[in-house]
Amino acid sequence: QVQLVESGGGLVQAGESLRLSCAASGRTFSNYAVGWFRQAPGNEREFVAAIRWDGGTTYYIDSVKGRFTISRDNAKNTVYLQMNSLRPEDTAVYYCNRVVWTTRHVLDAWGQGTLVTVSS
């Protein structure tokens, strides 16, 4: 198992930016795809973006394409989510997890997540 710690959330105004970090410990995740997910109040957790193990391929849901960028630094065992042009509908707790690239199936227990609040 890998322990995942998300950080970087906060309260911002619409149009501003945040960079989230996902740090892994316990076992390297450099050989795995990693995904970011989010859960807004009252909603199910949803997939947001993923990056393959080598960082060469990324995938985003339509609502964040062109605004969010996922990246990774395998030497630091860390994955990032740069979020630009934030909107109130991006407000959620954001989580990361190792995933199966083709199915988005998660491989580890969820961490505590990091809260992103976007005010209008």
Side-chain angles (χ1 to χ4, degrees), residues 39-97:
Q39 187 168 20
N43 288 0
E44 296 287 319
R45 183 152 33 205
E46 68 167 346
F47 167 79
V48 175
I51 186 167
R52 290 193 70 165
W53 70 273
D54 61 353
T57 305
T58 57
Y59 181 86
Y60 303 90
I61 58 173
D62 287 344
S63 61
V64 307
K65 278 181 184 176
R67 300 189 299 121
F68 290 11
T69 303
I70 188 170
S71 61
R72 67 191 299 162
D73 185 340
N74 285 340
K76 295 183 178 180
N77 240 16
T78 302
V79 172
Y80 305 97
L81 187 67
Q82 177 67 43
M83 306 187 296
N84 299 330
S85 303
L86 282 161
R87 304 169 179 168
E89 55 264 38
D90 295 319
T91 294
V93 179
Y94 283 72
Y95 303 86
C96 62
N97 213 310

